[in-house]
Amino acid sequence: MNREMYETILNMPDFMEKALKELKLNGEVPLEIDGIAFFGMGGSGIAGRIVSEWLNYEWGVNVYSYNEITIPRNLSRNTLITLISYSGNTEETLMAAKNAINGGYKVAVISSGGRLIEIAMEKNLPHIIIPRIFSQPRESLPYLFTAAVKMLMETKLIGNVQLNQLNDCIETLYNVKKGLNTNNIPKILAEKVYSKIISIFTYTPLTPAAIRFKQSLNENSKVMAKVEVIPEACHNAIMEWEENPEILKNIAMIIIREDVMKERLIEISINTLKEIALQRGATVEELHASGSNVLSNILSAIYIGDLVSIELANIKGIEARRINLIDYLKGKIRSSIYM
Amino acid sequence: MNREMYETILNMPDFMEKALKELKLNGEVPLEIDGIAFFGMGGSGIAGRIVSEWLNYEWGVNVYSYNEITIPRNLSRNTLITLISYSGNTEETLMAAKNAINGGYKVAVISSGGRLIEIAMEKNLPHIIIPRIFSQPRESLPYLFTAAVKMLMETKLIGNVQLNQLNDCIETLYNVKKGLNTNNIPKILAEKVYSKIISIFTYTPLTPAAIRFKQSLNENSKVMAKVEVIPEACHNAIMEWEENPEILKNIAMIIIREDVMKERLIEISINTLKEIALQRGATVEELHASGSNVLSNILSAIYIGDLVSIELANIKGIEARRINLIDYLKGKIRSSIYM
């Protein structure tokens, strides 16, 4: 079951390599850009968030990411507003595009087609077109993410040193892929957390991996999940472990972390959180990020997390690609807005 | 039970009024400040987040809020890093202070005392001292929040128009307080969601109210809670309602919203989310924000949410103020770091 989607995810490093070669910017990004803000929803929006976290954390480049309709007032007019939507027809992203254009911002587009590419053509906006080869937007992440990096290269906000990190990251993902032949970590993890509500714990800069993991668990595995960020989680979420033991039996804690922690305070916090959750009868597991830079850490964790979500769908005997409720809601929005 | 803490929360508007009169800045904030970034954890950190959301959303003022130890690299050197900790001894906030000072940033402090005020004295940093009259940091929110606004007034980033909104907000809270005599909304809500995991749904700019509600439910009521932000929630979290019906019976959806919605798309999304959750047997409730500006909306929702958390503690027969697990974790961190 879900063989096709599993293969698509498994090919993440191959798709990134292909995208890096194939994707081209149409038009030119304006000069005097001092930052980029990505706007997009769900599987498309997460691409902007990964780029944002990586580049802010390691390099201090002004890259922001929003899942919103309105453009935050404090963004400078020299920020390139970049709309990302795989389909090009996401209602919220089209509204954000309209708000950005009407607001006099510099605007760019990343999409496979739809209304968003039409707007880009009409308004002569710089845009990158993604091949329309994926069944679901969330499967197109390797392309959307690589397109976001290409857009940043074109603005000269980043250069070869970041490109080298991206290549290192692809190498890391190939290594993870090879490792799966001898040790099917995603399957083992899925079996351990089956039939639980999943409480994901992580820390900056791995947060985008936790958010994507939640999205994949929601959409592919149809399970309930939440994200807690350490150290903030130590000041409130930790109290969820005083919940009654019957509820706690339904919870699996999954910690997304590096093998070797850089920050001692975070390491102590993780160990204590684990100790408390285990004492109270919850399932506790770890998902390890690999690679030598923040981007590799984030994407290797996403890679494994995505595979876990498919394995979990297989165990539950459900179709990972079907998302009836999202389609239903989108239909409601479309029909109500254009009435 | 929990009478004292309930009274403290109930006096939120009174405390804000007092804080507005009493709090004074010691020292002077540097000139040429073009933004403020607040750093703090839990009950202290939320004050910065409320100010940030309100001022960015309505006025485009550069106010940021972090629950982190490290200073994000993309913050400009003209950003005033303001550390908030009620106790003044929060480990993560002290580390952030050290990082900000060593990084050559302009630094300010808001605290009732502790190591943080000692540092402010030693380094001659501008600071606001909060009276040490609260049992728990989360109870001091009216003071911490008002201090954050005062710090912004001193930098001239905001002026009388924002002060007027703050006064309107206090007025709104007094009205909510009066209303409680005839209609105990917090108690009714607490009774409806008792023994459930709480899934809070909201949208920008009400997000800080949802985050605070989660914190209060975690700390005061010892229940598990999570926050979902619309429209992003419509692209993934909605799929949690395909979870198996046995788990869904344990879930209560609480939507934090205005009476009259500004954005049609968000309204349609809320209605559809409610419809789906109800069909699947979950409990669904609403918590209404009141007042004529974003600040009033956020703080009125926080006011009611805090009271709900105490009512829920009462129903469960537990002490809202006791947070053994947090104290245990803090002890672990302190003893491990200074070994």
Side-chain angles (χ1 to χ4, degrees):
Chain A
M1 217 177 168
N2 301 311
R3 193 70 221 159
E4 239 184 84
M5 192 169 186
Y6 188 91
E7 287 294 331
T8 308
I9 294 171
L10 202 63
N11 285 330
M12 188 170 180
D14 313 75
F15 281 132
M16 281 171 69
E17 213 174 5
K18 258 172 86 79
L20 207 49
K21 280 192 204 117
E22 285 172 12
L23 295 179
K24 295 274 172 289
L25 180 81
N26 301 286
E28 269 177 43
V29 297
L31 302 169
E32 82 272 349
I33 291 295
D34 58 17
I36 290 196
F38 293 100
F39 282 75
M41 307 304 301
S44 301
I46 193 70
R49 196 184 276 265
I50 298 165
V51 180
S52 159
E53 191 73 40
W54 163 42
L55 293 173
N56 281 340
Y57 191 85
E58 286 213 90
W59 311 98
V61 181
N62 288 322
V63 190
Y64 308 98
S65 170
Y66 300 95
N67 315 111
E68 297 291 342
I69 296 167
T70 46
I71 312 301
R73 285 182 202 247
N74 61 342
L75 281 186
S76 103
R77 295 290 145 160
N78 288 329
T79 306
L80 183 67
I81 308 285
T82 303
L83 291 314
I84 306 194
S85 164
Y86 179 66
S87 71
N89 292 317
T90 307
E91 221 48 69
E92 294 91 342
T93 312
L94 290 173
M95 283 185 171
K98 199 177 129 197
N99 289 332
I101 292 166
N102 293 347
Y105 287 90
K106 298 170 177 80
V107 178
V109 159
I110 295 171
S111 179
S112 76
R115 183 74 194 114
L116 207 50
I117 292 295
E118 281 173 26
I119 294 171
M121 304 288 200
E122 285 162 25
K123 305 270 181 192
N124 215 4
L125 307 175
H127 60 282
I128 297 177
I129 299 178
I130 306 295
R132 210 175 251 277
I133 55 176
F134 298 99
S135 166
Q136 286 291 343
R138 56 193 182 277
E139 297 176 54
S140 70
L141 178 61
Y143 269 90
L144 292 175
F145 167 77
T146 309
V149 175
K150 286 235 159 170
M151 190 67 81
L152 272 148
M153 301 276 301
E154 296 283 345
T155 60
K156 315 273 183 235
L157 286 167
I158 59 171
N160 279 333
V161 54
Q162 285 83 12
L163 189 61
N164 287 341
Q165 288 206 335
L166 178 53
N167 280 313
D168 277 355
C169 169
I170 294 173
E171 198 57 36
T172 299
L173 296 181
Y174 275 124
N175 285 333
V176 174
K177 190 176 172 180
K178 251 185 266 165
L180 292 173
N181 294 326
T182 50
N183 194 356
N184 193 343
I185 291 173
K187 196 173 175 197
I188 297 166
L189 194 51
E191 280 161 359
K192 285 185 176 161
V193 302
Y194 168 61
S195 83
K196 308 277 186 188
I197 294 172
I198 296 175
S199 192
I200 309 162
F201 284 74
T202 197
Y203 50 90
T204 303
L206 299 182
T207 321
I211 294 170
R212 167 69 171 194
F213 190 33
K214 176 186 179 297
Q215 292 177 346
S216 298
L217 289 169
N218 287 158
E219 292 182 88
N220 299 333
S221 330
K222 283 78 177 168
V223 300
M224 190 168 280
K226 71 184 182 65
V227 172
E228 299 289 350
V229 182
I230 300 165
E232 177 63 12
C234 305
H235 293 261
N236 34 73
I238 185 176
M239 293 306 299
E240 75 182 28
W241 306 107
E242 287 220 355
E243 185 55 90
N244 83 60
E246 283 312 303
I247 287 180
L248 292 181
K249 269 187 231 151
N250 291 322
I251 309 295
M253 172 193 258
I254 302 184
I255 300 156
I256 301 182
R257 55 168 291 182
E258 304 141 291
D259 285 325
V260 182
M261 306 282 301
K262 286 178 202 89
E263 184 77 65
R264 185 147 165 67
L265 188 148
I266 305 289
E267 192 174 19
I268 300 162
S269 301
I270 286 179
N271 291 340
T272 312
L273 282 163
K274 277 172 65 174
E275 175 199 327
I276 291 171
L278 281 169
Q279 269 172 5
R280 278 158 179 77
T283 302
V284 178
E285 295 298 327
E286 294 189 350
L287 192 163
H288 285 259
S290 46
S292 59
N293 62 56
V294 165
L295 180 64
S296 302
N297 291 165
I298 295 173
L299 282 180
S300 62
I302 286 179
Y303 191 40
I304 296 171
D306 274 8
L307 294 172
V308 170
S309 73
I310 304 295
E311 298 284 4
L312 204 44
N314 286 341
I315 298 174
K316 293 179 77 173
I318 54 172
E319 270 185 54
R321 269 186 180 147
R322 277 184 68 176
I323 41 169
N324 298 355
L325 293 180
I326 294 175
D327 296 337
Y328 174 72
L329 175 60
K330 280 185 180 171
K332 280 263 183 183
I333 287 172
R334 209 152 283 158
S335 63
S336 310
I337 284 181
Y338 297 110
M339 246 164 39
Chain B
M1 217 176 169
N2 300 311
R3 191 72 220 158
E4 239 185 82
M5 192 168 186
Y6 189 91
E7 288 294 332
T8 309
I9 294 170
L10 202 63
N11 285 329
M12 187 170 181
D14 313 75
F15 282 132
M16 281 171 69
E17 213 174 4
K18 258 172 85 79
L20 207 50
K21 280 192 203 117
E22 284 171 13
L23 295 180
K24 295 274 172 288
L25 181 82
N26 300 286
E28 270 177 41
V29 297
L31 300 170
E32 83 272 349
I33 291 297
D34 59 18
I36 290 196
F38 293 100
F39 283 75
M41 307 305 300
S44 301
I46 193 70
R49 197 183 276 265
I50 298 165
V51 180
S52 159
E53 191 75 38
W54 164 43
L55 293 173
N56 282 339
Y57 191 86
E58 286 213 269
W59 311 99
V61 181
N62 289 322
V63 190
Y64 309 98
S65 169
Y66 299 94
N67 315 110
E68 298 291 342
I69 295 167
T70 46
I71 312 300
R73 286 181 201 247
N74 60 343
L75 281 186
S76 103
R77 295 289 145 159
N78 288 328
T79 305
L80 183 67
I81 308 285
T82 304
L83 292 314
I84 307 193
S85 163
Y86 179 65
S87 71
N89 292 318
T90 308
E91 222 47 70
E92 294 91 341
T93 311
L94 290 173
M95 284 184 170
K98 199 178 130 197
N99 289 332
I101 291 165
N102 292 348
Y105 287 91
K106 298 171 177 80
V107 177
V109 158
I110 296 172
S111 180
S112 76
R115 184 73 195 114
L116 208 49
I117 292 294
E118 281 172 26
I119 294 171
M121 304 286 201
E122 284 162 26
K123 305 270 179 191
N124 215 4
L125 307 175
H127 60 281
I128 297 178
I129 299 178
I130 307 294
R132 211 175 251 275
I133 55 176
F134 297 100
S135 166
Q136 287 290 342
R138 55 192 182 278
E139 296 175 55
S140 70
L141 178 60
Y143 269 90
L144 292 175
F145 167 77
T146 308
V149 175
K150 286 234 160 171
M151 190 66 82
L152 272 148
M153 301 276 302
E154 295 283 346
T155 60
K156 315 274 183 234
L157 285 167
I158 60 170
N160 279 333
V161 54
Q162 286 82 12
L163 189 61
N164 287 342
Q165 288 205 334
L166 178 53
N167 280 313
D168 277 354
C169 169
I170 295 173
E171 198 58 36
T172 299
L173 296 181
Y174 275 124
N175 285 333
V176 173
K177 190 176 174 182
K178 252 185 265 165
L180 293 173
N181 295 325
T182 51
N183 194 356
N184 193 344
I185 291 172
K187 196 173 175 197
I188 297 166
L189 194 51
E191 280 161 358
K192 287 186 175 159
V193 302
Y194 169 62
S195 85
K196 309 276 184 186
I197 294 171
I198 296 176
S199 191
I200 309 162
F201 284 75
T202 198
Y203 50 91
T204 305
L206 299 182
T207 321
I211 294 170
R212 167 69 172 195
F213 190 33
K214 175 186 180 298
Q215 292 176 347
S216 298
L217 289 168
N218 287 158
E219 292 181 89
N220 299 333
S221 330
K222 284 78 176 169
V223 300
M224 188 167 280
K226 70 183 181 67
V227 172
E228 298 288 351
V229 181
I230 300 164
E232 177 64 11
C234 305
H235 293 262
N236 35 72
I238 185 176
M239 293 307 299
E240 75 183 27
W241 305 107
E242 287 220 357
E243 185 54 90
N244 84 59
E246 282 313 301
I247 287 180
L248 292 181
K249 269 186 232 150
N250 292 322
I251 309 295
M253 172 194 258
I254 301 184
I255 300 156
I256 300 182
R257 56 169 291 183
E258 303 141 292
D259 285 324
V260 181
M261 306 282 301
K262 286 179 202 92
E263 184 77 65
R264 187 148 162 67
L265 188 149
I266 305 289
E267 193 174 19
I268 300 162
S269 301
I270 287 179
N271 291 339
T272 313
L273 282 163
K274 278 172 64 174
E275 174 199 327
I276 292 170
L278 281 170
Q279 269 172 4
R280 278 157 178 77
T283 301
V284 179
E285 294 298 328
E286 294 189 349
L287 191 163
H288 286 259
S290 45
S292 59
N293 63 55
V294 165
L295 181 64
S296 302
N297 290 164
I298 295 172
L299 283 180
S300 61
I302 287 179
Y303 191 40
I304 295 170
D306 275 8
L307 294 172
V308 170
S309 73
I310 304 296
E311 296 286 3
L312 204 44
N314 286 342
I315 297 174
K316 292 179 78 173
I318 54 173
E319 270 185 54
R321 268 184 180 147
R322 277 185 66 176
I323 41 168
N324 298 356
L325 293 180
I326 294 175
D327 296 337
Y328 175 72
L329 175 59
K330 281 185 178 171
K332 280 263 183 183
I333 288 172
R334 209 152 283 158
S335 64
S336 310
I337 284 179
Y338 298 110
M339 250 167 35

